[in-house]
Amino acid sequence: MLNFIELFAGSGGLGMGIAKAGFSQVIAIEKDKNCCNTLEFNRNQGLFYLAGWDIINSDVRDVVLSQYQGKVSLVSGGPPCQPFSLGGRHLASEDQRDLFPEAIRAVREIRPQAFIFENVRGLTRKSFAEYFEYIKLQLTYPLTVRLPNESSRKHFERLEEQFTSGDCDQLKYNITAKVLNAADFGLPQKRERLFIVGFNNKLPVRWHFPKPTHSFDSLIWSQRYGDYWDRNEVPKKYRLVSKKAESRLYRLSEKPNNAAWKTIRESIMSLPDPLASEGYESLNVLNHEYRPGARIYPGHCGSFIDEPAKTLKAGVHGVPGGENMIKFPDGSVRYFTLRESARLQSYPDEYFFDCSWSKAMYQLGNAVPIKLSYIIAKSVKSALSEALSHNKPKKRGTTKPASNSALQDATVHS
């Protein structure tokens, strides 16, 4: 059995995808009480992906993580992204909300066989390039800790020397990082997130990120030459595409081989119109209430219904949820309902947010789409399971390889 521990669990998007991939939950740590209430409510309602979750409402900095050493195969989590967000103050390690050091501490103290961390694409920006390299080196050599009175610059340089020397006499992880667009994997949202995946260096793992399965080119081909409009029963006067789609279409000489991006319309068309209150009440659709007040203004123009949505926001940029709107072919806009937003994040329809719209949008806007985390976790589990099966003691007459736990009995390298 492969267990995992989830740090910065939020409303559970990353963790539920990992659970769906076949990992068993040990514990979920989350500081925000509203998020914990949401997780606990849905767990207690019997939501399958949350079965057995031990949810701890605590700042991860106050948790003794070494108690999980030897009990956890995978560490996962999304450290708060505000220090690196395009809408933030861009303070990186100088921002008190930067909790990547805690993610690194988790790897150091738990010593898992693998880890999956995610964050905003902004961490890959040029202005954060050096800090991002520093993070990756610390995750590669988690036992090479920063010494008392040692500056972060000196620590970074020492890690660089360790890497270039090829020194691996201690716990080491082979890591890779990549920005993935959720739309490229069949989700109705153009959400780009950075994923950092690492495996214990002593395991015979060969792994790469899953390849995209969907594309914008396939969508616009389907809208021009395929059955998109007829299949979705769109009246001819509303069969519109963006200027970007039009210009791109003329560069396509043949039908793309991959599947089409999934659009907002395809994701929500089975839901009743939230303006017709009797409709959704009779169908028992959770969290599908209409919210008035949506309007277009500079920088907030909504997401066109016949494309994937723009990245859902957590309600911290200007007017809360100002960008979380659908734009219809007639030019009108309205806010996404919570249920529609949850579908954009691939949350199951039975997942309920027992809180205000703003608090629920904060949870959804910070989440990892369940389907995307599932795709990544499934490939990690496959590689990890195969590597661990190769690492099992062989039958008599053969030499027993060193166990993973023995490999982890390293001391801090300084």
Side-chain angles (χ1 to χ4, degrees), residues 184-387:
D184 291 339
F185 295 88
L187 285 104
Q189 184 184 179
K190 292 175 279 190
R191 189 179 190 88
E192 293 184 308
R193 302 293 289 193
L194 169 67
F195 289 87
I196 307 171
V197 176
F199 294 91
N200 189 304
N201 181 56
K202 300 300 182 181
L203 293 173
V205 172
R206 296 178 66 87
W207 183 85
H208 60 80
F209 277 98
K211 296 180 180 179
T213 53
H214 297 63
S215 75
F216 182 37
D217 288 347
S218 290
L219 172 61
I220 59 178
W221 186 279
S222 175
Q223 291 176 338
R224 175 55 66 90
Y225 304 114
D227 66 347
Y228 176 83
W229 303 113
D230 291 336
R231 176 165 41 87
N232 291 297
E233 302 178 349
V234 180
K236 288 187 177 181
K237 67 177 181 178
Y238 293 138
R239 297 184 177 188
L240 307 176
V241 296
S242 65
K243 292 181 179 179
K244 180 180 179 181
E246 282 284 2
S247 62
R248 187 159 182 159
L249 180 65
Y250 291 116
R251 296 197 296 269
L252 296 177
S253 58
E254 59 184 21
K255 181 181 179 180
N257 292 325
N258 48 19
W261 272 0
K262 188 173 183 180
T263 67
I264 297 170
R265 187 188 297 276
E266 292 173 303
S267 176
I268 69 173
M269 65 185 301
S270 63
L271 293 171
D273 184 348
L275 286 169
S277 59
E278 292 183 1
Y280 73 78
E281 288 175 354
S282 64
L283 292 175
N284 296 317
V285 180
L286 301 173
N287 295 132
H288 195 45
E289 293 82 3
Y290 170 74
R291 182 177 177 83
R295 63 183 180 85
I296 293 176
Y297 56 93
H300 295 270
C301 56
S303 297
F304 187 50
I305 191 170
D306 288 305
E307 290 186 3
K310 298 176 182 179
T311 300
L312 281 180
K313 293 182 179 178
V316 295
H317 307 287
V319 178
E323 189 60 42
N324 300 338
M325 304 181 298
I326 308 175
K327 184 176 182 180
F328 296 94
D330 63 1
S332 64
V333 295
R334 69 164 172 81
Y335 286 120
F336 288 114
T337 68
L338 291 180
R339 181 51 47 211
E340 290 166 341
S341 300
R343 282 197 174 186
L344 298 181
Q345 293 283 54
S346 60
Y347 275 58
D349 282 351
E350 60 268 31
Y351 195 99
F352 182 63
F353 293 88
D354 188 21
C355 56
S356 67
W357 185 86
S358 59
K359 290 178 180 178
M361 281 306 305
Y362 177 82
Q363 295 176 34
L364 281 167
N366 280 324
V368 179
I370 294 175
K371 182 177 179 179
L372 183 57
S373 62
Y374 162 74
I375 290 170
I376 296 170
K378 183 179 179 182
S379 68
V380 167
K381 182 176 182 291
S382 177
L384 192 58
S385 297
E386 182 177 355

Side-chain angles (χ1 to χ4, degrees), residues 137 153 155-165:
L137 281 172
R153 163 55 58 184
H155 185 214
F156 185 19
E157 292 173 352
R158 189 155 57 89
L159 285 163
E160 288 180 313
E161 292 174 357
Q162 186 173 1
F163 179 77
T164 54
S165 70

